[in-house]
Amino acid sequence: MSFLTLQGLRKSFGASVAVQDFSLEAERGEFISLLGPSGCGKTTVLRMIAGFEAPSAGRVVIDGEDVTHLPSRARRIGMVFQSYALFPNLTVEGNIAFGLKVAGMAKDAIAERVKEMLALIGLPQLAGRFPSELSGGQQQRVALARAVAIRPRILLLDEPLSALDAKIRVSLREDLRAIQRELGITAIFVTHDQEEALALSHRVVVMSEGWVEQVGTPAEVYRTPRTPFVATFVGTANVLPCRIVDAVSGRVALGSVEIDAAHALPERKVGDTVVLALRPEAISILPFDGATNSIAAVVRDVTFLGPVARLRLVIDGDVAVTVDLHGEAARALPDAGARVVLWFRPESLQFLDRREHNLEAG
Amino acid sequence: MRLPRAFVQTVFGVGPFALFAVLFLVLPTSNLLVGAFQDGEGNFTFANLAGLMTPSVVTAFRVSITISLASAVLGAAAGLAVALALRGDAVPRPIRQAVLTLCGVTSNFAGVPLAFAFLATVGRAGLLTALLVRYFGINIYDGGFNLLSVVGLTFTYLYFQMPLMVLVIMPAVEGLKRDWSEAAAMLGASPAQFTLRIVAPILAPNVVGATLLLFANAFGAVATAYALTGSSINLVTILLFAQIRGDVLHDPGLGFALALGMVVVTGVCNILYLRLRAFSDRRLR
């Protein structure tokens, strides 16, 4: 049985539906990210788990206990907020001890736990400081220590890294992952940053407009996106509408150019339209023509981005394609207007479903 | 040489206020500071300050402080309750705006119009007094209430003290973040524990500071008290008024000393208010 079960959660605010039929099963110690753009419903799901929003339908079950109608304070959940939400009138020590004090823990035990938490976040020297005397990164570490000090059953993280600058974000991300694994706590992490979600999670739930688009490991979500939304939101992808030429061999036509997709499509027939995703880094520029899946293209512009060079090209007159070149391939870049030959492996092409909802995120 | 544009803008922006402050604050204060230590012939003396120790002046300060303190504490408590009720999404936005606008108007409603309004409402022949007698058989004057007394004056002051508190404390109340209450709930705290351990300590410096401001506001009020009670209640402001208007109590030297005493009391209140507010701002940064 799963440690956390979210069953058919739905939340509407008047006529507007924020979350549609959201189901998720999480194991003990699992780190799951809810990934999506602003307004996709990910924070609403988190707030329903926390008990700040009552679901319009569905259930929240933690370790076999139905907590759907329990108040937040009785759920034994820890939460880290984007704004840190540290109590400004309390010191670092006071903030970490807050939950332990209201729980009526003995003074000695509180002192011991606070010491342990300060060591965990690596800030034992700041115990006496007030939040206003700390940097953003330090405040968020304290917020994390405060949340886990009460030994919660689940840790909720509401975009905890969003307010930090890039360097601190990466360092805190690594600490967050290490602390979560050390404590073995089940964590639900809300973010709109796909890199964070991929780096931290065991599984990623991609959401759009209140619906679950796809659930899977970071590699699955990146390599085999199921919908055009996932393909374009998680990383960059060329989304190519094609016509089926041969459903058995998986041969399709992109405009007037035929390509081999290496996927049999028994449920489709010749002439059907399908949508394919092709990652920019899966495309190479060849010095010659004639190989399978080699396509003539014209370079529109070239952008140098440091470790990668991004080329925007046009094939068959009006199909725009993005290509990312790394390492040696990015040393001799074609100029805008140049004619080149693009090539990719058939298995790099991913067939996308039309948008599917009601996915069981188990 | 061309002056920097920012400098010119600053001079034009701050200049009129600085001129106003010099003409109507700095010069009068300096004048009364000098006058408090001069006799009728312009010689240096402590006699004016010694006059502050006479029984009638001591009583005036005691009554003024009593009324100011009572109206400040009661006004602060009521104003804080209103501000907390108006916080967040609990009240529809138009109602909230209407209440704040009303507070803006009533906090400046004082003097003869306010005195008349209270006499017409809860005076001996006031409308509310009459309605209470007619429909409920309650005569508030039989119960000991008297509008023309210390209690009555305190009650009247509340009319502008409470809305002033709402306006002064509202920014601090609005500064209470929803995330704090949610974080406290997640940590297992009840609403009462959150209020006691987090809200109260956060708001305390602002509430104390605002109460001091209300105290100073009431301490300096004269028109309402004079219009309502004449000289039947011995307040510092009324005593001061008596020294300068030229009747039998005419004593400009004592008037200067009384005014200096008031400047000291209200000045201390304002300085404490500013320090408490700065402390709170620093903590909440």
Side-chain angles (χ1 to χ4, degrees):
Chain A
M1 191 177 155
S2 301
F3 186 68
L4 169 68
T5 303
L6 306 178
Q7 201 175 69
L9 286 182
R10 183 174 186 278
K11 181 67 189 176
S12 50
F13 298 98
S16 149
V17 181
V19 176
Q20 305 263 20
D21 197 19
F22 185 98
S23 293
L24 177 71
E25 305 245 321
E27 298 305 321
R28 196 185 292 270
E30 197 174 12
F31 196 116
I32 294 181
S33 289
L34 307 184
L35 173 67
S38 297
C40 73
K42 56 190 188 299
T43 295
T44 307
V45 171
L46 200 79
R47 293 178 64 78
M48 284 193 279
I49 301 172
F52 299 144
E53 301 287 354
S56 306
R59 294 196 316 146
V60 179
V61 180
I62 301 172
D63 201 10
E65 181 193 5
D66 188 338
V67 300
T68 315
H69 303 293
L70 275 185
S72 301
R73 67 175 185 275
R75 294 192 180 197
R76 291 202 291 128
I77 292 176
M79 186 158 174
V80 179
F81 297 79
Q82 182 180 355
S83 65
Y84 323 131
L86 292 177
F87 305 130
N89 58 312
L90 301 179
T91 60
V92 166
E93 202 170 6
N95 266 280
I96 297 173
F98 183 85
L100 308 173
K101 279 184 182 165
V102 297
M105 196 185 249
K107 269 188 175 177
D108 291 352
I110 291 176
E112 189 60 33
R113 183 77 61 85
V114 169
K115 202 174 154 192
E116 185 191 324
M117 290 298 118
L118 285 168
L120 184 74
I121 58 169
L123 297 175
Q125 73 283 10
L126 301 183
R129 295 252 187 107
F130 283 94
S132 59
E133 298 165 336
L134 303 177
S135 69
Q138 288 170 336
Q139 287 190 58
Q140 201 55 296
R141 279 171 206 272
V142 176
L144 178 62
R146 181 181 67 176
V148 297
I150 58 167
R151 304 259 159 91
R153 296 189 287 186
I154 290 172
L155 179 63
L156 305 178
L157 302 141
D158 187 8
E159 307 218 27
L161 308 175
S162 303
L164 305 172
D165 64 53
K167 203 170 172 184
I168 303 286
R169 202 154 61 215
V170 172
S171 124
L172 193 53
R173 185 170 86 190
E174 284 158 10
D175 291 349
L176 186 61
R177 182 181 158 127
I179 289 169
Q180 186 267 335
R181 304 232 158 137
E182 185 180 331
L183 298 176
I185 191 167
T186 307
I188 307 292
F189 179 78
V190 160
T191 182
H192 61 266
D193 184 322
Q194 41 121 349
E195 189 182 310
E196 274 173 14
L198 298 181
L200 284 168
S201 321
H202 292 112
R203 280 190 298 152
V204 178
V205 179
V206 186
M207 294 182 70
S208 168
E209 295 175 10
W211 294 96
V212 172
E213 291 273 341
Q214 186 172 356
V215 185
T217 64
E220 283 167 355
V221 167
Y222 186 79
R223 291 190 191 134
T224 54
R226 288 184 58 175
T227 66
F229 176 82
V230 177
T232 50
F233 190 76
V234 183
T236 310
N238 295 295
V239 176
L240 309 169
C242 301
R243 255 181 318 101
I244 293 180
V245 176
D246 182 348
V248 178
S249 67
R251 194 151 182 83
V252 297
L254 175 61
S256 62
V257 182
E258 285 196 13
I259 52 178
D260 187 357
H263 294 270
L265 295 161
E267 71 280 19
R268 303 291 175 93
K269 58 184 189 296
V270 173
D272 277 0
T273 302
V274 288
V275 181
L276 297 171
L278 181 60
R279 294 285 181 200
E281 67 272 21
I283 307 174
S284 309
I285 292 182
L286 289 186
F288 56 86
D289 200 352
T292 306
N293 286 356
S294 61
I295 306 172
V298 177
V299 179
R300 278 283 160 86
D301 65 71
V302 180
T303 311
F304 181 70
L305 301 170
V308 60
R310 178 155 292 173
L311 279 64
R312 295 186 197 283
L313 310 100
V314 175
I315 56 177
D316 197 30
D318 64 348
V319 181
V321 173
T322 301
V323 175
D324 284 348
L325 299 177
H326 300 258
E328 283 303 310
R331 282 196 173 274
L333 295 170
D335 295 326
R339 290 182 174 280
V340 295
V341 176
L342 305 181
W343 175 82
F344 49 86
R345 293 176 188 283
E347 53 271 26
S348 299
L349 285 167
Q350 186 64 38
F351 280 89
L352 302 178
D353 296 338
R354 283 206 178 83
R355 185 179 167 127
E356 285 186 10
H357 296 303
N358 305 325
L359 285 175
E360 186 75 22
Chain B
M1 190 184 80
R2 281 192 66 184
L3 291 168
R5 192 174 167 177
F7 176 77
V8 174
Q9 281 178 340
T10 304
V11 168
F12 273 94
V14 178
F17 172 74
L19 187 66
F20 183 85
V22 168
L23 288 176
F24 298 102
L25 183 68
V26 177
L27 287 181
T29 307
S30 309
N31 189 38
L32 75 85
L33 184 63
V34 172
F37 294 95
Q38 281 182 335
D39 61 16
E41 280 73 46
N43 301 315
F44 181 81
T45 180
F46 282 116
N48 298 331
L49 289 187
L52 294 179
M53 293 298 123
T54 56
S56 69
V57 175
V58 170
T59 303
F61 269 96
R62 187 172 49 76
V63 174
S64 278
I65 288 172
T66 303
I67 291 176
S68 304
L69 197 62
S71 71
V73 170
L74 293 173
L80 178 63
V82 173
L84 287 170
L86 290 176
R87 179 180 163 239
D89 304 326
V91 176
R93 203 176 166 79
I95 293 179
R96 190 186 127 89
Q97 280 308 111
V99 172
L100 289 178
T101 305
L102 189 68
C103 286
V105 173
T106 52
S107 63
N108 288 293
F109 190 65
V112 177
L114 179 63
F116 176 74
F118 268 75
L119 281 169
T121 310
V122 287
R124 280 195 185 275
L127 182 65
L128 183 65
T129 311
L131 289 175
L132 284 172
V133 171
R134 176 177 290 184
Y135 293 107
F136 300 99
I138 300 168
N139 188 333
I140 53 174
Y141 281 83
D142 287 349
F145 177 78
N146 182 1
L147 185 61
L148 311 180
S149 67
V150 169
V151 172
L153 196 55
T154 304
F155 180 62
T156 309
Y157 277 12
L158 283 177
Y159 187 83
F160 56 80
Q161 293 283 65
M162 190 184 79
L164 180 63
M165 178 65 178
V166 174
L167 295 178
V168 173
I169 204 68
M170 204 64 208
V173 169
E174 289 288 8
L176 293 171
K177 294 180 186 165
R178 189 180 70 169
D179 283 357
W180 291 336
S181 66
E182 292 184 346
M186 287 275 85
L187 294 165
S190 64
Q193 285 172 318
F194 172 63
T195 304
L196 206 64
R197 290 171 185 263
I198 306 300
V199 174
I202 288 174
L203 284 185
N206 287 288
V207 170
V208 174
T211 307
L212 286 167
L213 202 65
L214 263 57
F215 176 87
N217 188 44
F219 196 78
V222 59
T224 306
Y226 194 74
L228 197 64
T229 66
S231 54
S232 65
I233 294 181
N234 186 17
L235 295 177
V236 178
T237 45
I238 290 176
L239 197 58
L240 172 59
F241 186 46
Q243 307 312 313
I244 58 174
R245 74 183 167 182
D247 67 3
V248 288
L249 292 169
H250 184 63
D251 182 354
L254 180 60
F256 279 123
L258 285 169
L260 185 63
M262 290 188 67
V263 167
V264 169
V265 171
T266 53
V268 166
C269 289
N270 278 292
I271 288 167
L272 285 174
Y273 164 71
L274 290 172
R275 289 187 70 94
L276 285 164
R277 185 160 173 182
F279 168 79
S280 174
D281 288 349
R282 215 168 37 245
R283 181 61 59 77
L284 295 176
R285 196 169 50 212

